[in-house]
Coordinates of all heavy atoms in Angstrom, one line a residue:
M1 N 127.1 93.2 94.4 CA 125.9 93.6 93.7 C 126.3 94.2 92.3 O 127.3 94.9 92.2 CB 125.2 94.7 94.6 CG 123.9 95.1 94.0 SD 122.9 96.0 95.1 CE 123.5 97.6 95.0
I2 N 125.4 93.9 91.4 CA 125.7 94.3 90.0 C 124.8 95.5 89.7 O 123.6 95.5 90.0 CB 125.4 93.2 89.0 CG1 126.3 92.0 89.2 CG2 125.5 93.7 87.6 CD1 125.9 90.8 88.4
R3 N 125.3 96.6 89.3 CA 124.5 97.8 88.9 C 124.3 97.8 87.4 O 125.2 97.6 86.6 CB 125.3 99.1 89.3 CG 125.4 99.2 90.8 CD 124.7 100.5 91.2 NE 124.8 100.7 92.6 CZ 123.8 100.8 93.4 NH1 122.6 100.7 92.9 NH2 124.0 101.0 94.7
L4 N 123.0 98.0 87.0 CA 122.7 98.0 85.6 C 123.0 99.4 85.1 O 122.6 100.4 85.7 CB 121.2 97.7 85.4 CG 120.8 96.3 85.8 CD1 119.3 96.1 85.6 CD2 121.5 95.2 85.0
Q5 N 123.6 99.5 84.0 CA 124.0 100.8 83.4 C 122.9 101.2 82.3 O 122.8 102.4 82.0 CB 125.4 100.7 82.7 CG 126.5 100.4 83.7 CD 126.6 101.4 84.8 OE1 126.5 102.6 84.6 NE2 126.8 100.9 86.0
C6 N 122.2 100.2 81.8 CA 121.1 100.6 80.9 C 120.1 99.5 81.0 O 120.3 98.4 81.5 CB 121.6 100.7 79.5 SG 122.3 99.2 78.8
G7 N 118.9 99.7 80.5 CA 117.8 98.8 80.6 C 117.1 98.6 79.2 O 117.6 99.0 78.2
V8 N 115.9 98.1 79.3 CA 115.1 97.9 78.1 C 114.3 99.2 77.9 O 113.8 99.7 78.8 CB 114.2 96.7 78.3 CG1 113.3 96.5 77.1 CG2 114.9 95.4 78.5
R9 N 114.3 99.7 76.7 CA 113.6 100.9 76.4 C 112.1 100.8 76.8 O 111.5 99.8 76.7 CB 113.8 101.4 75.0 CG 113.1 100.6 74.0 CD 113.4 101.2 72.6 NE 112.7 100.4 71.6 CZ 111.5 100.4 71.2 NH1 110.7 101.3 71.8 NH2 111.0 99.6 70.3
Q10 N 111.5 101.9 77.1 CA 110.1 102.0 77.4 C 109.3 101.5 76.2 O 109.5 102.0 75.1 CB 109.7 103.4 77.8 CG 108.3 103.6 78.3 CD 108.1 103.1 79.7 OE1 109.1 102.9 80.4 NE2 106.9 102.9 80.2
G11 N 108.4 100.6 76.5 CA 107.5 100.1 75.4 C 108.2 99.0 74.5 O 107.6 98.5 73.6
G12 N 109.4 98.6 74.9 CA 110.0 97.5 74.2 C 109.3 96.2 74.3 O 108.7 95.9 75.3
V13 N 109.4 95.4 73.3 CA 108.7 94.1 73.3 C 109.2 93.1 74.4 O 108.5 92.3 74.9 CB 108.8 93.4 71.9 CG1 108.0 94.2 70.9 CG2 110.2 93.1 71.5
L14 N 110.5 93.3 74.8 CA 111.0 92.5 75.9 C 110.7 93.0 77.3 O 111.0 92.2 78.2 CB 112.6 92.3 75.7 CG 113.0 91.5 74.5 CD1 114.6 91.5 74.5 CD2 112.5 90.1 74.7
L15 N 110.2 94.2 77.4 CA 110.0 94.8 78.7 C 109.2 93.9 79.7 O 109.6 93.6 80.8 CB 109.4 96.1 78.6 CG 109.2 96.9 79.9 CD1 110.5 97.1 80.6 CD2 108.5 98.2 79.7
P16 N 108.0 93.4 79.3 CA 107.2 92.6 80.2 C 108.0 91.3 80.7 O 108.0 91.0 81.9 CB 106.0 92.2 79.4 CG 105.9 93.2 78.4 CD 107.3 93.6 78.0
V17 N 108.7 90.7 79.8 CA 109.4 89.4 80.2 C 110.6 89.8 81.1 O 110.8 89.1 82.1 CB 109.9 88.7 78.9 CG1 110.8 87.5 79.2 CG2 108.7 88.3 78.0
V18 N 111.4 90.8 80.7 CA 112.5 91.1 81.5 C 112.1 91.6 82.9 O 112.6 91.2 83.9 CB 113.4 92.2 80.8 CG1 114.4 92.8 81.8 CG2 114.0 91.7 79.6
F19 N 111.0 92.4 83.0 CA 110.5 92.9 84.3 C 110.0 91.8 85.1 O 110.3 91.7 86.3 CB 109.5 94.0 84.1 CG 109.1 94.7 85.3 CD1 109.9 95.6 85.9 CD2 107.9 94.4 86.0 CE1 109.6 96.3 87.1 CE2 107.5 95.0 87.2 CZ 108.4 96.0 87.7
T20 N 109.3 90.8 84.5 CA 108.8 89.7 85.3 C 109.9 88.9 85.9 O 109.9 88.5 87.1 CB 107.9 88.8 84.4 OG1 106.8 89.6 83.9 CG2 107.4 87.6 85.2
V21 N 111.0 88.6 85.1 CA 112.1 87.9 85.7 C 112.8 88.7 86.8 O 113.2 88.2 87.8 CB 113.2 87.7 84.5 CG1 114.5 87.1 85.1 CG2 112.6 86.7 83.5
Y22 N 112.8 90.0 86.6 CA 113.5 90.9 87.6 C 112.7 90.9 88.9 O 113.3 91.0 90.0 CB 113.5 92.3 87.0 CG 114.4 93.3 87.7 CD1 115.8 93.1 87.8 CD2 113.9 94.4 88.3 CE1 116.7 94.0 88.4 CE2 114.8 95.4 88.9 CZ 116.1 95.1 89.0 OH 116.9 96.0 89.6
V23 N 111.4 90.9 88.9 CA 110.6 91.0 90.1 C 110.1 89.6 90.6 O 109.2 89.5 91.4 CB 109.5 92.0 90.0 CG1 110.0 93.4 89.8 CG2 108.5 91.6 88.9
N24 N 110.6 88.6 90.0 CA 110.2 87.2 90.3 C 110.2 86.9 91.8 O 109.3 86.2 92.3 CB 110.9 86.2 89.5 CG 110.4 84.8 89.7 OD1 109.2 84.6 89.3 ND2 111.2 83.9 90.1
D25 N 111.2 87.4 92.5 CA 111.3 87.1 94.0 C 110.1 87.7 94.7 O 109.6 87.0 95.7 CB 112.6 87.7 94.5 CG 113.8 86.9 94.0 OD1 113.7 85.8 93.5 OD2 114.9 87.4 94.2
V26 N 109.6 88.8 94.3 CA 108.4 89.4 95.0 C 107.2 88.5 94.7 O 106.4 88.1 95.6 CB 108.1 90.8 94.4 CG1 106.8 91.3 95.0 CG2 109.3 91.7 94.7
I27 N 107.1 88.1 93.4 CA 106.0 87.2 93.0 C 106.0 85.9 93.8 O 105.0 85.3 94.2 CB 106.0 87.0 91.5 CG1 105.7 88.3 90.8 CG2 105.0 85.9 91.1 CD1 106.0 88.3 89.3
M28 N 107.2 85.3 94.1 CA 107.3 84.0 94.8 C 107.1 84.2 96.3 O 106.6 83.3 97.0 CB 108.6 83.4 94.4 CG 108.8 83.1 92.9 SD 107.5 82.1 92.2 CE 107.7 80.6 93.0
A29 N 107.6 85.3 96.8 CA 107.5 85.5 98.3 C 106.1 85.7 98.8 O 105.8 85.3 99.9 CB 108.4 86.7 98.7
L30 N 105.2 86.3 98.0 CA 103.9 86.6 98.6 C 103.1 85.3 98.8 O 102.6 85.2 99.9 CB 103.1 87.6 97.6 CG 103.6 89.0 97.6 CD1 103.0 89.8 96.5 CD2 103.4 89.6 99.0
P31 N 103.0 84.4 97.9 CA 102.2 83.2 98.2 C 102.9 82.4 99.3 O 102.2 81.7 100.1 CB 102.2 82.4 96.9 CG 102.6 83.3 95.9 CD 103.4 84.4 96.5
A32 N 104.2 82.4 99.4 CA 104.9 81.6 100.4 C 104.7 82.2 101.8 O 104.9 81.4 102.8 CB 106.4 81.6 100.0
S33 N 104.3 83.4 101.9 CA 104.2 84.1 103.2 C 102.9 83.6 103.9 O 102.9 83.6 105.2 CB 104.1 85.6 103.0 OG 102.8 85.9 102.4
G34 N 101.9 83.1 103.2 CA 100.7 82.6 103.9 C 99.7 83.8 104.1 O 98.6 83.5 104.5
Y35 N 100.1 85.0 103.7 CA 99.1 86.1 103.8 C 98.4 86.3 102.5 O 98.9 85.7 101.5 CB 99.9 87.4 104.2 CG 100.7 87.3 105.5 CD1 102.1 87.4 105.4 CD2 100.1 87.0 106.7 CE1 102.8 87.3 106.6 CE2 100.8 86.9 107.8 CZ 102.2 87.0 107.8 OH 102.9 86.9 108.9
G36 N 97.4 87.0 102.5 CA 96.7 87.3 101.2 C 95.4 86.5 101.1 O 95.0 85.8 102.1
C37 N 94.8 86.5 100.0 CA 93.5 85.9 99.8 C 93.6 84.6 99.0 O 94.5 84.5 98.1 CB 92.5 86.8 99.0 SG 92.0 88.2 100.0
Y38 N 92.8 83.7 99.3 CA 92.7 82.4 98.5 C 91.3 82.2 98.0 O 90.3 82.5 98.7 CB 93.1 81.2 99.5 CG 94.6 81.3 99.8 CD1 95.0 82.1 100.9 CD2 95.5 80.5 99.1 CE1 96.4 82.1 101.2 CE2 96.8 80.5 99.4 CZ 97.3 81.3 100.5 OH 98.6 81.4 100.8
F39 N 91.2 81.6 96.9 CA 89.9 81.3 96.3 C 89.9 79.8 95.8 O 90.7 79.5 94.9 CB 89.6 82.2 95.1 CG 88.3 82.0 94.4 CD1 87.1 82.4 95.1 CD2 88.2 81.3 93.2 CE1 85.9 82.2 94.5 CE2 87.0 81.1 92.6 CZ 85.8 81.5 93.3
H40 N 89.2 79.0 96.5 CA 89.2 77.5 96.2 C 90.6 77.0 96.3 O 91.0 76.2 95.4 CB 88.6 77.2 94.8 CG 87.1 77.5 94.8 ND1 86.2 76.7 95.4 CD2 86.4 78.4 94.1 CE1 84.9 77.1 95.2 NE2 85.1 78.2 94.4
G41 N 91.3 77.4 97.3 CA 92.7 76.9 97.5 C 93.8 77.5 96.6 O 94.9 77.2 96.8
M42 N 93.4 78.4 95.8 CA 94.4 79.1 94.9 C 94.7 80.5 95.4 O 93.8 81.2 95.7 CB 93.8 79.2 93.4 CG 94.8 79.8 92.5 SD 94.2 79.7 90.7 CE 92.7 80.8 90.8
F43 N 95.9 80.8 95.4 CA 96.4 82.1 95.9 C 96.0 83.2 95.0 O 96.4 83.1 93.8 CB 97.9 82.1 96.2 CG 98.4 83.4 96.8 CD1 98.2 83.7 98.1 CD2 99.0 84.3 96.0 CE1 98.6 84.9 98.6 CE2 99.5 85.5 96.5 CZ 99.3 85.8 97.8
V44 N 95.2 84.2 95.4 CA 94.8 85.3 94.6 C 95.1 86.6 95.4 O 94.4 87.6 95.3 CB 93.4 85.3 94.2 CG1 93.1 84.2 93.2 CG2 92.4 85.1 95.4
G45 N 96.2 86.6 96.1 CA 96.6 87.8 96.9 C 97.3 88.9 96.2 O 97.5 90.0 96.8
Y46 N 97.6 88.7 95.0 CA 98.2 89.8 94.2 C 97.8 89.7 92.7 O 97.5 88.6 92.2 CB 99.7 89.9 94.3 CG 100.4 88.8 93.5 CD1 100.8 89.0 92.2 CD2 100.7 87.6 94.1 CE1 101.4 88.0 91.5 CE2 101.4 86.6 93.4 CZ 101.7 86.9 92.1 OH 102.4 85.9 91.4
F47 N 97.7 90.8 92.1 CA 97.6 90.9 90.6 C 98.6 91.9 90.1 O 98.7 92.9 90.7 CB 96.2 91.3 90.2 CG 95.1 90.3 90.6 CD1 94.4 90.4 91.8 CD2 94.8 89.3 89.7 CE1 93.5 89.5 92.1 CE2 93.8 88.3 90.0 CZ 93.2 88.4 91.2
M48 N 99.4 91.5 89.1 CA 100.4 92.4 88.7 C 100.3 92.5 87.2 O 100.1 91.6 86.4 CB 101.8 91.7 89.0 CG 102.9 92.6 88.7 SD 104.4 91.9 89.3 CE 105.3 93.4 89.9
Y49 N 100.3 93.8 86.7 CA 100.3 94.1 85.3 C 101.4 95.1 85.1 O 101.3 96.2 85.6 CB 98.9 94.6 84.9 CG 98.9 95.0 83.4 CD1 98.7 93.9 82.5 CD2 99.0 96.3 83.0 CE1 98.7 94.2 81.1 CE2 98.9 96.6 81.6 CZ 98.8 95.5 80.7 OH 98.8 95.8 79.4
A50 N 102.4 94.7 84.3 CA 103.5 95.6 84.0 C 104.1 96.0 85.4 O 104.5 95.1 86.2 CB 103.2 96.8 83.2
D51 N 104.2 97.2 85.7 CA 104.8 97.6 87.0 C 103.8 98.0 88.0 O 104.1 98.6 89.1 CB 105.8 98.8 86.8 CG 105.2 100.0 86.3 OD1 104.1 100.0 85.8 OD2 105.9 101.1 86.3
D52 N 102.5 97.7 87.8 CA 101.5 97.9 88.8 C 101.2 96.7 89.6 O 101.2 95.6 89.0 CB 100.2 98.4 88.1 CG 100.3 99.7 87.4 OD1 101.0 100.6 88.0 OD2 99.8 99.9 86.3
L53 N 101.0 96.8 90.9 CA 100.8 95.7 91.8 C 99.5 95.9 92.6 O 99.4 97.0 93.3 CB 102.0 95.5 92.6 CG 101.9 94.4 93.7 CD1 101.8 93.0 93.0 CD2 103.2 94.4 94.5
L54 N 98.6 95.0 92.6 CA 97.4 95.1 93.4 C 97.5 94.0 94.5 O 97.7 92.8 94.1 CB 96.1 94.9 92.6 CG 94.8 94.7 93.3 CD1 94.4 96.0 94.0 CD2 93.7 94.2 92.4
L55 N 97.4 94.3 95.8 CA 97.5 93.3 96.8 C 96.1 93.2 97.4 O 95.4 94.1 97.7 CB 98.5 93.8 97.9 CG 99.9 94.0 97.5 CD1 100.8 94.5 98.7 CD2 100.5 92.6 97.0
L56 N 95.7 91.9 97.7 CA 94.5 91.6 98.3 C 94.7 90.8 99.6 O 95.5 89.8 99.6 CB 93.6 90.8 97.4 CG 93.2 91.4 96.0 CD1 92.5 90.4 95.2 CD2 92.4 92.6 96.2
S57 N 94.1 91.2 100.7 CA 94.2 90.4 101.9 C 92.9 90.5 102.7 O 92.0 91.3 102.5 CB 95.4 91.0 102.8 OG 95.0 92.3 103.4
K58 N 92.8 89.6 103.7 CA 91.6 89.5 104.5 C 91.6 90.5 105.7 O 90.6 90.7 106.3 CB 91.4 88.1 105.0 CG 92.6 87.6 105.9 CD 92.5 86.2 106.3 CE 93.7 85.7 107.0 NZ 93.8 84.3 107.2
S59 N 92.7 91.1 106.0 CA 92.8 92.1 107.1 C 93.8 93.2 106.7 O 94.7 92.9 105.9 CB 93.1 91.4 108.4 OG 94.5 91.0 108.4
L60 N 93.7 94.3 107.4 CA 94.7 95.4 107.2 C 96.0 94.9 107.8 O 97.1 95.3 107.2 CB 94.2 96.6 107.9 CG 93.0 97.3 107.3 CD1 92.5 98.5 108.2 CD2 93.3 97.7 105.9
C61 N 96.0 94.1 108.8 CA 97.3 93.7 109.4 C 98.0 92.8 108.4 O 99.2 93.0 108.2 CB 97.0 92.9 110.7 SG 98.5 92.4 111.5
D62 N 97.3 91.9 107.8 CA 97.9 91.0 106.7 C 98.4 91.8 105.6 O 99.5 91.6 105.0 CB 97.0 89.9 106.3 CG 96.8 88.8 107.2 OD1 97.5 88.8 108.3 OD2 96.1 87.8 106.9
L63 N 97.6 92.8 105.2 CA 98.0 93.7 104.1 C 99.3 94.4 104.4 O 100.2 94.5 103.5 CB 96.9 94.7 103.8 CG 97.2 95.7 102.6 CD1 97.4 95.0 101.3 CD2 96.1 96.7 102.5
Q64 N 99.5 94.9 105.6 CA 100.7 95.6 106.0 C 101.9 94.6 105.9 O 103.0 95.0 105.5 CB 100.6 96.2 107.4 CG 101.9 97.0 107.8 CD 102.2 98.1 106.9 OE1 101.3 99.0 106.7 NE2 103.3 98.2 106.3
L65 N 101.7 93.4 106.3 CA 102.8 92.4 106.3 C 103.1 92.1 104.8 O 104.3 91.9 104.5 CB 102.3 91.1 107.0 CG 102.2 91.3 108.5 CD1 101.5 90.1 109.1 CD2 103.5 91.5 109.2
M66 N 102.1 92.0 103.9 CA 102.4 91.8 102.5 C 103.2 93.0 101.9 O 104.1 92.8 101.1 CB 101.1 91.6 101.8 CG 100.4 90.3 102.1 SD 98.8 90.2 101.3 CE 99.2 89.9 99.6
I67 N 102.8 94.2 102.3 CA 103.6 95.4 101.9 C 105.0 95.3 102.4 O 105.9 95.6 101.6 CB 102.8 96.7 102.3 CG1 101.5 96.8 101.6 CG2 103.7 97.9 102.1 CD1 100.6 97.9 102.2
D68 N 105.2 94.9 103.6 CA 106.5 94.8 104.2 C 107.4 93.8 103.4 O 108.6 94.0 103.1 CB 106.5 94.4 105.6 CG 105.9 95.5 106.5 OD1 105.8 96.7 106.1 OD2 105.5 95.2 107.7
I69 N 106.7 92.7 103.0 CA 107.4 91.7 102.2 C 107.8 92.3 100.8 O 109.0 92.1 100.4 CB 106.5 90.4 102.0 CG1 106.4 89.7 103.3 CG2 107.1 89.5 100.9 CD1 105.3 88.6 103.3
C70 N 106.9 93.0 100.2 CA 107.2 93.6 98.9 C 108.3 94.6 99.0 O 109.3 94.6 98.2 CB 106.0 94.3 98.3 SG 104.7 93.2 97.8
C71 N 108.3 95.4 100.1 CA 109.4 96.4 100.3 C 110.7 95.7 100.5 O 111.7 96.2 99.9 CB 109.0 97.3 101.5 SG 107.7 98.5 101.1
A72 N 110.8 94.7 101.3 CA 112.0 94.0 101.5 C 112.6 93.4 100.3 O 113.8 93.5 100.0 CB 111.8 92.9 102.6
E73 N 111.7 92.7 99.5 CA 112.1 92.1 98.3 C 112.6 93.1 97.2 O 113.6 92.9 96.5 CB 111.0 91.2 97.7 CG 110.7 90.0 98.5 CD 111.8 89.0 98.6 OE1 112.6 88.9 97.6 OE2 111.9 88.2 99.6
L74 N 111.8 94.2 97.1 CA 112.2 95.2 96.1 C 113.4 95.9 96.5 O 114.2 96.3 95.7 CB 111.0 96.2 96.0 CG 109.8 95.7 95.3 CD1 108.6 96.7 95.4 CD2 110.1 95.3 93.8
E75 N 113.7 96.1 97.8 CA 114.9 96.8 98.3 C 116.1 95.9 97.9 O 117.2 96.5 97.5 CB 114.9 96.9 99.8 CG 116.0 97.7 100.4 CD 115.9 97.9 101.9 OE1 114.9 98.5 102.3 OE2 116.8 97.4 102.6
G76 N 115.9 94.6 97.9 CA 117.0 93.7 97.5 C 117.4 93.9 96.0 O 118.5 93.5 95.6
I77 N 116.5 94.4 95.2 CA 116.8 94.6 93.8 C 116.9 96.1 93.4 O 116.8 96.5 92.3 CB 115.9 93.8 92.8 CG1 114.4 94.3 93.1 CG2 116.0 92.3 92.9 CD1 113.4 93.7 92.1
D78 N 117.1 96.9 94.5 CA 117.3 98.3 94.3 C 116.1 99.0 93.7 O 116.2 99.9 92.8 CB 118.6 98.6 93.6 CG 119.1 100.0 93.8 OD1 118.8 100.6 94.9 OD2 119.8 100.6 93.0
M79 N 114.9 98.6 94.1 CA 113.6 99.3 93.7 C 112.9 99.7 94.9 O 113.1 99.2 96.0 CB 112.8 98.3 92.8 CG 113.4 98.0 91.5 SD 112.3 96.9 90.5 CE 111.0 98.0 90.1
C80 N 111.9 100.5 94.8 CA 111.1 100.9 95.9 C 109.7 101.2 95.4 O 109.4 101.4 94.2 CB 111.6 102.1 96.6 SG 111.7 103.6 95.6
L81 N 108.7 101.2 96.4 CA 107.3 101.5 96.1 C 107.2 103.0 96.0 O 107.7 103.7 96.9 CB 106.4 100.9 97.1 CG 106.4 99.4 97.2 CD1 105.5 98.9 98.4 CD2 105.9 98.8 95.9
N82 N 106.3 103.5 95.1 CA 106.0 104.9 95.1 C 104.8 105.1 96.0 O 103.7 104.9 95.5 CB 105.8 105.3 93.6 CG 105.6 106.8 93.5 OD1 105.4 107.5 94.5 ND2 105.6 107.3 92.3
V83 N 105.0 105.6 97.2 CA 103.9 105.8 98.1 C 103.0 106.9 97.7 O 101.8 106.9 98.1 CB 104.4 106.1 99.6 CG1 105.2 104.8 100.1 CG2 105.3 107.3 99.6
K84 N 103.4 107.8 96.8 CA 102.5 108.9 96.3 C 101.5 108.3 95.4 O 100.4 108.9 95.2 CB 103.3 110.0 95.7 CG 104.2 110.7 96.6 CD 105.0 111.8 95.9 CE 105.9 112.5 96.9 NZ 106.7 113.6 96.3
K85 N 101.7 107.2 94.8 CA 100.8 106.6 93.8 C 100.1 105.4 94.4 O 99.3 104.7 93.8 CB 101.5 106.1 92.6 CG 102.1 107.2 91.7 CD 102.9 106.7 90.6 CE 102.3 105.7 89.7 NZ 103.1 105.3 88.6
S86 N 100.3 105.1 95.7 CA 99.7 104.0 96.4 C 98.4 104.4 97.0 O 98.2 105.5 97.6 CB 100.6 103.4 97.4 OG 101.8 103.0 96.8
Q87 N 97.4 103.4 97.0 CA 96.1 103.6 97.6 C 95.7 102.4 98.4 O 96.1 101.3 98.1 CB 95.0 103.9 96.5 CG 95.3 105.1 95.6 CD 95.1 106.4 96.4 OE1 94.2 106.5 97.2 NE2 96.0 107.4 96.2
V88 N 94.8 102.6 99.3 CA 94.2 101.5 100.1 C 92.7 101.6 100.0 O 92.1 102.7 100.2 CB 94.7 101.5 101.6 CG1 94.0 100.4 102.4 CG2 96.2 101.4 101.7
L89 N 92.0 100.5 99.8 CA 90.6 100.4 99.8 C 90.2 99.3 100.8 O 90.6 98.1 100.7 CB 90.1 100.0 98.4 CG 88.5 99.7 98.3 CD1 87.7 101.0 98.7 CD2 88.2 99.3 96.9
R90 N 89.4 99.7 101.8 CA 89.0 98.7 102.8 C 87.5 98.5 102.6 O 86.7 99.5 102.6 CB 89.3 99.2 104.2 CG 88.8 98.3 105.3 CD 89.1 98.9 106.6 NE 88.6 98.1 107.7 CZ 88.6 98.4 108.9 NH1 89.2 99.5 109.3 NH2 88.1 97.6 109.8
I91 N 87.1 97.2 102.6 CA 85.6 96.9 102.5 C 85.2 96.1 103.7 O 85.9 95.2 104.1 CB 85.4 96.0 101.2 CG1 85.8 96.8 100.0 CG2 83.9 95.6 101.1 CD1 85.8 96.0 98.7
G92 N 84.2 96.6 104.4 CA 83.8 95.9 105.6 C 84.2 96.7 106.9 O 84.6 97.8 106.8
K93 N 84.0 96.0 108.0 CA 84.3 96.6 109.3 C 85.7 96.9 109.5 O 86.6 96.2 109.1 CB 83.7 95.7 110.4 CG 82.2 95.6 110.4 CD 81.8 94.7 111.5 CE 80.3 94.6 111.5 NZ 79.8 93.8 112.5

């Protein structure tokens, strides 16, 4: 495993590109899992902006499985979710 000694400075122009490459495995694992929401056959189970991630699923059980996938993928790149900043919104029964 390679440890990074320094990164891209906060607000740097390369930050979005470098971060997207860094978390690409998370982005690829979610649609491949089969969990999440689809709209006209297109996967819309997540929206990501910078380091914020919004997960959408049809059930709480699927949502938990998506969170587990994210945690496993992020652990592989030595990152973790901040549970103090995480929220859940449930609509329906």
Side-chain angles (χ1 to χ4, degrees):
M1 183 163 83
I2 298 171
R3 293 241 181 240
L4 297 176
Q5 300 299 318
C6 63
V8 179
R9 70 177 177 84
Q10 187 76 16
V13 294
L14 288 178
L15 182 61
V17 175
V18 171
F19 189 76
T20 301
V21 170
Y22 194 63
V23 296
N24 188 57
D25 290 344
V26 176
I27 294 169
M28 300 306 291
L30 288 171
S33 71
Y35 305 118
C37 292
Y38 290 84
F39 182 74
H40 291 290
M42 183 174 63
F43 182 76
V44 291
Y46 75 89
F47 293 93
M48 188 171 216
Y49 181 76
D51 62 346
D52 294 321
L53 178 63
L54 170 69
L55 299 175
L56 302 173
S57 73
K58 60 186 176 191
S59 71
L60 292 176
C61 183
D62 283 1
L63 180 61
Q64 183 61 58
L65 292 169
M66 291 174 74
I67 293 169
D68 292 344
I69 289 168
C70 288
C71 287
E73 292 294 332
L74 291 171
E75 185 177 298
I77 56 175
D78 202 23
M79 291 181 72
C80 63
L81 296 176
N82 186 346
V83 295
K84 293 180 181 178
K85 292 174 54 179
S86 299
Q87 300 289 321
V88 174
L89 172 64
R90 180 180 176 186
I91 300 172
K93 296 180 182 181

